[in-house]
Amino acid sequence: MAFLFDGISSKNYFEVEKIERDILSPITHSLVEIPGRKGAVHQGSKKGVREFTVTIRMRETNIDDLNTKIRTVASWLDQEEAKQFELEKEPGLYYMAFLSGDTKLDEIGSVGKGTLTFICPDPDAFNKVETLVPLVSEVNQISVEGTAPTFPVLKFTMKQDVTFLSYIGENPNDAVVLGRSVEADTQTAAPKEQLIFDDDMESLTGFGWSEGGTSVDGGSVAGSFLATNQTFTYNDIGTGDKWHGPAIKKGLSETLADWKVECWMKFDLTKDPKMIGRLEVYLLSVNGEVIAKFALKDMYRDTANTVVEFRAGDLNDGQYIIKSWGSKRGVYNDFWGLISLKQVGRAYECYITKIVNGKHTTRMFKRYYDVKDKYHTKNLAQIQLHLAGTGTSPIASNDRINFDRIKVWKINTLNEPDEVPIIARAGDIVQVDHYTKEVLINGEPRKDILDPISKLFPIEGDSAITLYPSDVADVELSYRSRWK
């Protein structure tokens, strides 16, 4: 008898004497008593948290080995997030569980005996095998195994720009609506964000980048950039007592009053805690004035700790909107992800996220309003990229610190309701997860496009999914069947 937790078997550490579990998770009933009437009226029931109680025994040759084993087990079981919990006798299924309650161990010599309790906030089991079903027509028949409601994920790979996507399930109220449809006789589709610059960092010359960057915060421009493997990184960072490294800039095709700049970066200075470095994106006016900046930095000489900065205005008179290492030290170490700064009128929106398996994780978002009209009045005309080290401190190898891609968007003011905003463009990937209640576009949370009438519904047995419109995207439905 054994179990697996977070993919590791209990056999590695101890014997499992027995595992206790309920046939069903605890059921509570809502009952309302009515005066003058016997009994009560049933108002529904609710299933609670499922528990697994595991009796274990550790046997080692001596007390020191037992102490070592106890600490190893503690490290394995102490998880901040729910992990997969599998019974060896029930292969193919898993629960999402936490260790809970006391973990007392009765020790006699080099033998320890105790009880572990695992709780599953979601009491139903998941199939380890994910099923993928292409939805190739307007009405699609689906047959789902399992004894519990199963929540699908729908993935739309867009073939054209759209303002509207929808689909319905077997029941009339099972409907998901994204965006708004266009009334053909009175409305037109329009982009709220218009892409005017997109560089995948393949060439330093192909998009007109120049060695024209001459001014950077708290340091000097030195050395040169190198384009390699579709990234911009350093060839040489030069020398200097303070920050020093290359800078390049690029003029945009038009000046922008309202804009969004997105930059994908790799920033990993964890190999040596003495490393110091920074990646910075400066947003410049037509005259070369700094109107905003965002950056990743590690300025600590004895520990790896990446800090993100967002600023409106220049170094001398600007306003830092974010200057933080995140929720705790090291959150943004070993970073690959997206940093974005958006300005519409007085409003600035700052966003940073790591990207793991195409999904945005470890996100931070903050708004700032330029109520005194100090920063937003100058239009965006140029982009400057800067990479630097400082003094003689070591810096990461150039495959660990680089710019991967940059996009600049023009933000349009739509005349609504006559103009209906486009919510997804050709090539975008839209995902709707009925279990986590997430709506993602290219991995970014976009629940703002979900119509309030929507219901993210489960599927069971033989059912159908109807798409409308059915020809604007390649659609896949995936799920893990669930069992009570």
Side-chain angles (χ1 to χ4, degrees):
M1 185 179 297
F3 68 89
L4 285 80
F5 183 65
D6 195 21
I8 299 173
S9 174
S10 60
K11 290 180 177 178
N12 295 339
Y13 305 122
F14 46 69
E15 301 170 14
V16 174
E17 294 189 343
K18 66 176 179 178
I19 298 177
E20 297 177 78
R21 61 169 171 173
D22 298 323
I23 296 174
L24 287 171
S25 58
I27 301 172
T28 57
H29 296 271
S30 177
L31 303 174
V32 177
E33 295 184 1
I34 299 176
R37 179 174 171 177
K38 293 180 180 180
V41 176
H42 188 259
Q43 297 287 306
S45 61
K46 181 181 179 181
K47 291 180 181 176
V49 172
R50 184 185 291 272
E51 289 190 1
F52 291 87
T53 303
V54 184
T55 303
I56 66 169
R57 184 183 295 272
M58 294 185 189
R59 300 176 187 271
E60 299 298 328
T61 56
N62 56 65
I63 293 175
D64 288 340
D65 287 349
L66 178 62
N67 290 336
T68 300
K69 181 63 65 67
I70 290 170
R71 290 185 172 88
T72 301
V73 170
S75 179
W76 166 47
L77 297 177
D78 185 17
Q79 302 288 346
E80 294 183 0
E81 299 178 348
K83 300 296 182 179
Q84 290 189 12
F85 178 86
E86 309 169 40
L87 299 177
E88 185 182 59
K89 66 180 182 180
E90 196 174 37
L93 299 181
Y94 68 89
Y95 298 85
M96 297 303 295
F98 296 91
L99 181 69
S100 180
D102 294 332
T103 54
K104 294 178 182 178
L105 197 69
D106 293 330
E107 297 180 55
I108 301 177
S110 60
V111 177
K113 183 176 180 179
T115 300
L116 303 176
T117 301
F118 293 90
I119 62 168
C120 307
D122 183 334
D124 296 327
F126 295 81
N127 197 312
K128 294 182 71 173
V129 177
E130 184 178 47
T131 300
L132 181 66
V133 181
L135 305 185
V136 296
S137 58
E138 183 174 337
V139 181
N140 303 268
Q141 300 297 324
I142 301 166
S143 181
V144 181
E145 295 183 343
T147 58
T150 295
F151 295 88
V153 177
L154 277 82
K155 176 182 176 183
F156 299 81
T157 302
M158 304 310 305
K159 296 190 288 189
Q160 64 187 64
D161 296 357
V162 296
T163 67
F164 172 76
L165 283 173
S166 71
Y167 55 92
I168 61 174
E170 192 74 17
N171 302 311
N173 293 331
D174 293 346
V176 175
V177 178
L178 306 177
R180 293 186 286 121
S181 59
V182 175
E183 297 178 5
D185 55 343
T186 61
Q187 296 177 320
T188 58
K192 209 163 191 177
E193 298 180 353
Q194 184 178 345
L195 185 64
I196 69 163
F197 181 61
D198 182 6
D199 189 351
D200 63 1
M201 308 303 187
E202 186 173 351
S203 170
L204 283 162
T205 58
F207 280 91
W209 292 97
S210 70
E211 301 285 344
T214 57
S215 177
V216 294
D217 292 352
S220 59
V221 177
S224 60
F225 268 106
L226 171 70
T228 178
N229 297 323
Q230 290 190 303
T231 66
F232 287 175
T233 186
Y234 70 89
N235 182 53
D236 175 21
I237 64 169
T239 59
D241 295 333
K242 300 181 180 180
W243 290 109
H244 55 86
I248 54 175
K249 67 178 181 179
K250 159 73 180 174
L252 303 177
S253 59
E254 60 180 296
T255 60
L256 305 177
D258 297 324
W259 43 263
K260 181 172 74 172
V261 178
E262 298 177 306
C263 190
W264 287 258
M265 300 177 177
K266 182 175 181 61
F267 191 82
D268 179 12
L269 275 64
T270 59
K271 195 170 184 180
D272 181 352
K274 296 185 182 298
M275 289 179 177
I276 293 179
R278 70 180 185 183
L279 284 176
E280 300 191 311
V281 178
Y282 293 84
L283 312 184
L284 310 177
S285 72
V286 69
N287 296 321
E289 304 160 294
V290 177
I291 64 172
K293 186 191 84 167
F294 55 85
L296 287 175
K297 295 181 176 180
D298 188 335
M299 303 164 287
Y300 301 89
R301 296 186 183 277
D302 298 312
T303 184
N305 187 29
T306 300
V307 172
V308 60
E309 291 183 354
F310 289 88
R311 190 183 70 214
D314 62 19
L315 178 63
N316 297 319
D317 194 36
Q319 172 66 48
Y320 281 95
I321 306 170
I322 294 177
K323 196 172 186 179
S324 170
W325 55 59
S327 59
K328 60 182 179 180
R329 287 177 179 266
V331 164
Y332 292 116
N333 288 350
D334 191 11
F335 181 90
W336 189 86
L338 169 67
I339 303 182
S340 170
L341 180 59
K342 179 179 179 180
Q343 182 247 304
V344 179
R346 293 179 170 182
Y348 290 79
E349 294 183 357
C350 307
Y351 180 68
I352 178 172
T353 179
K354 283 186 171 181
I355 300 176
V356 180
N357 297 324
K359 190 172 181 179
H360 291 208
T361 65
T362 320
R363 305 187 300 267
M364 181 162 46
F365 176 84
K366 188 174 182 179
R367 286 191 179 94
Y368 165 73
Y369 292 92
D370 181 19
V371 294
K372 295 183 179 180
D373 296 328
K374 292 182 65 175
Y375 311 115
H376 75 275
T377 55
K378 296 175 182 177
N379 291 349
L380 174 62
Q382 305 176 75
I383 301 292
Q384 178 176 288
L385 306 180
H386 173 56
L387 185 159
T390 183
T392 58
S393 297
I395 190 171
S397 57
N398 63 12
D399 61 328
R400 291 175 175 266
I401 179 170
N402 48 59
F403 298 97
D404 282 7
R405 188 170 193 171
I406 191 164
K407 292 183 178 183
V408 181
W409 303 84
K410 177 182 180 180
I411 307 299
N412 297 318
T413 301
L414 301 188
N415 181 26
E416 299 188 55
D418 296 336
E419 292 181 316
V420 180
I422 291 170
I423 60 170
R425 301 172 180 84
D428 284 348
I429 296 177
V430 179
Q431 287 182 280
V432 184
D433 190 324
H434 287 225
Y435 184 74
T436 64
K437 310 301 182 186
E438 291 180 303
V439 178
L440 307 175
I441 298 182
N442 300 327
E444 179 181 356
R446 287 296 309 274
K447 208 166 184 178
D448 57 290
I449 66 172
L450 183 67
D451 193 293
I453 70 169
S454 299
K455 176 187 175 184
L456 299 180
F457 54 87
I459 52 178
E460 292 183 84
D462 294 328
S463 57
I465 298 288
T466 302
L467 305 173
Y468 181 79
S470 61
D471 58 351
V472 297
D474 295 322
V475 187
E476 294 177 341
L477 180 146
S478 59
Y479 64 89
R480 296 181 187 273
S481 56
R482 285 157 47 90
W483 306 80
K484 296 180 180 178

